[in-house]
Amino acid sequence: MEGIAMTENTTHETPLDSWKEIAAYLKRDERTARRWEKDEGLPVHRHHHLSRASVYAYPSELGAWRAGRSAEPAATGWWRPVPAFASTITIALALLMAGSGPHIATTVQAAGGIVTRQVWTGPGASAYHSPSSDGRYLGFTMDGDLAVRNLTTGESRRLTNRNSGRENELEFATHSVFSPDGKRVAFAWANQREELELHVVGMDGSEPRVLYQRDKYDIMPSDWSPDGKLILASLSRLRNEGNRPWDDQIVTVGTADGSLTVLKTFDGRGPGRMRFSRDGRFVAYDSTADQEGNPDVFVLSVANGQVTPLVRHPAQDGMLGWAPDGKSVLFLSDRTGEWGAWLIAVADGKPQGEPKLVKRNMGAIMPMGFNRDGSFYYGVRDRGYNVYTA
């Protein structure tokens, strides 16, 4: 929810109390409304102490957001589906005995041995992409095309040219992940039917190809297997008219032939963030589907599909990343009353002991992933409402 000017007092306004009502007000389907909240800051609220699916919105706020959104293409020449982040920073965990490299301009020493460095800020900076394993590059969306930024030199270059030189607000690249060797990038491409396809392109822009596409389905890449042969992704069937549930799956897609393997199917809303373990035997993910209430973190066996709870707590727990040493998982939790980063040891896909708090007051961050030296990248927003009274 960014940059929205609240010109009316919403106290006496009847809210829209579900995704169905919000979507109807916007004259779109629920899937589009959810995507707008995630990628464009659609002002949707959530009831405290209830499931994160319990949402509401005020028509005046939606109207102000829509007015600001419709004015953006005229000013920029392109509707940007991925919001600009005020800062994208990296956290080097001292307990992993890792540094974050010599190319970061600003350094802040925090309590507990945690060092944070800002690596990119301003227009274009996006937390919907993952860093390369060497920490040199970060993907982002440039006029709808996939691009990469060299965090050492600050230079950016385009990897796709499907939107170059033309105005097309329906197609765009988002959610990119680098291959382990840094030579290829997998990303989601929104086509003109507003479906997400899985694409792969070389770091030099060569050999672009559609790896997986299916009518009435969205596919979103999350990670590559350590050997570079599989891409971990979420596959979602688009909701039809009526009140049908989401059909979400954790899948892998073969990078050689696009073959799809289903690892887990969810009856309701599926996984959030997902990552392979270092040896590729397990997938850690967060979800509300395996229990009632707030999300927890689980480990899925790639070989047999067995699911093991990794983090169970009444609070909200979100998957951040599998540490590069393969021996622990970093997750976000509000169990102390504020969002903090926690680390839990893992062996053979099972939790070992109790989780440990490694950094307090993280805020509701946007996780991006580890590089191989142990630095964890994430995005933060520091823009909010401008509130006026009349």
Side-chain angles (χ1 to χ4, degrees), residues 1-3 10 21 26 70 80 88 153 165 176 208 211 216 221 223 259 280 301-302 314 340 361 369 379:
M1 297 180 288
E2 301 181 20
T10 59
E21 292 186 12
L26 295 169
S70 62
R80 298 185 181 276
T88 301
T153 65
S176 65
L211 196 60
K216 298 183 180 180
D223 199 7
S259 58
S301 170
V302 174
N361 196 24

Side-chain angles (χ1 to χ4, degrees), residues 104-157:
I104 310 301
T106 304
T107 302
V108 178
Q109 180 67 46
I114 302 299
V115 179
T116 59
R117 293 179 173 91
Q118 178 176 286
V119 298
W120 191 9
T121 185
S126 168
Y128 294 111
H129 303 259
S130 298
S132 60
S133 60
D134 59 9
R136 291 181 59 193
Y137 295 99
L138 193 61
F140 70 104
T141 304
M142 177 187 289
D143 297 332
D145 279 308
L146 179 67
V148 292
R149 181 180 178 88
N150 188 317
L151 298 177
T152 303
T153 65
E155 297 176 350
S156 298
R157 56 188 173 88

Side-chain angles (χ1 to χ4, degrees), residues 24 39 100 103 109 144 173 181 203 226 238 246 253 257 264 296 317 319 326-327 336:
D39 289 348
S100 59
H103 307 301
Q109 180 67 46
D181 60 8
M203 266 293 285
L238 307 186
W246 292 98
V253 181
D257 57 5
K264 180 174 173 58
D296 280 331
D317 302 305
M319 168 70 177
K327 298 179 181 179
T336 64

Side-chain angles (χ1 to χ4, degrees), residues 52 91 107 110 174 229 244 275 309 328 336 362:
R52 62 179 176 179
I91 171 174
T107 302
T174 184
K229 295 181 179 180
R244 298 184 61 179
R275 282 295 186 270
S328 54
T336 64
M362 292 284 290

Side-chain angles (χ1 to χ4, degrees), residues 71-93:
E72 187 174 354
T76 65
W78 173 254
W79 160 56
R80 298 185 181 276
V82 180
F85 281 77
S87 60
T88 301
I89 59 181
T90 174
I91 171 174
L93 300 179

Side-chain angles (χ1 to χ4, degrees), residues 351-368:
Q352 305 295 303
E354 295 297 320
K356 298 179 180 179
L357 178 64
V358 296
K359 192 176 191 308
R360 299 180 181 275
N361 196 24
M362 292 284 290
I365 64 173
M366 300 290 292
M368 300 166 66

